[in-house]
Amino acid sequence: MCIFCDIIDGKIPSKKIYEDENVLAILDISQVTKGHTLVMPKKHCRNIIEADAETVSQCTEAVRRLTKQIVENTGAAGANVLNNCGETAGQTVDHLHFHIIPRYTENDSITIAFNPSEEQDLDAVLALVRG
Ligand code: 5GP
Ligand code: ZN
């Protein structure tokens, strides 16, 4: 059972912002800020790693257009666009989705901190990441 598939199938009501053959965008039930939106593919896939390229492209194009629309229409000063991939990264619904979170002030009720951590050997990290 997937709660987002149930929303896509109309079994659970949602506030639709945008819909086409492949993509659905709805208001997040818990509005971190006014206009907080979720963009998801209609085809079920767990996350961005497991999704095929076409599905991700369809979503990211919708994210691009909707971020512009939402920021313009809400009068927000900007937006955070994010995807949580995996439980450790905060993913709670295992159906690929992108958050668009309009930002009004630096004091909005969202915290995204790039905290300093232990120093890394960047060459070693590069080799690791490149594989
Ligand atoms: P995640 O933590 O997986 O990145 O985000 C899941 C999001 O889905 C959360 O922000 C949560 O508020 C939202 N959500 C969970 N259940 C529902 C629902 O039934 N309807 C809507 N519109 N959003 C939901
Ligand atoms: Zn699903």
Side-chain angles (χ1 to χ4, degrees), residues 13-124:
S14 66
K15 303 291 185 194
K16 291 183 190 176
I17 292 183
Y18 172 78
E19 182 173 22
D20 65 26
E21 203 185 326
N22 304 304
V23 174
L24 177 67
I26 60 171
L27 289 180
D28 193 303
I29 203 160
S30 44
Q31 294 277 287
V32 168
T33 63
K34 191 172 59 186
H36 178 184
T37 294
L38 301 172
V39 179
M40 65 190 74
K42 289 191 171 174
K43 180 159 99 179
H44 179 90
C45 47
R46 215 143 63 107
N47 58 42
I48 196 165
I49 293 172
E50 294 188 6
D52 60 81
E54 191 182 21
T55 298
V56 174
S57 293
Q58 289 160 346
C59 287
T60 53
E61 172 53 14
V63 167
R64 184 191 69 78
R65 280 187 287 103
L66 288 168
T67 302
K68 181 175 182 334
Q69 177 185 321
I70 291 164
V71 167
E72 284 178 1
N73 288 350
T74 59
N80 291 110
V81 174
L82 69 102
N83 166 251
N84 297 325
C85 179
E87 197 178 342
T88 304
Q91 185 172 7
T92 58
V93 178
D94 282 339
H95 180 126
L96 173 65
H97 55 281
F98 297 85
H99 295 257
I100 302 172
I101 303 171
R103 295 299 303 269
Y104 300 91
T105 75
E106 289 176 7
N107 300 319
D108 291 331
S109 56
I110 174 173
T111 311
I112 299 173
F114 292 88
N115 294 318
S117 59
E118 72 182 89
E119 209 170 307
Q120 300 286 343
D121 175 346
L122 289 188
D123 289 326

Side-chain angles (χ1 to χ4, degrees), residues 2 4-5 44 95:
C2 169
F4 285 179
C5 282
H44 179 90
H95 180 126

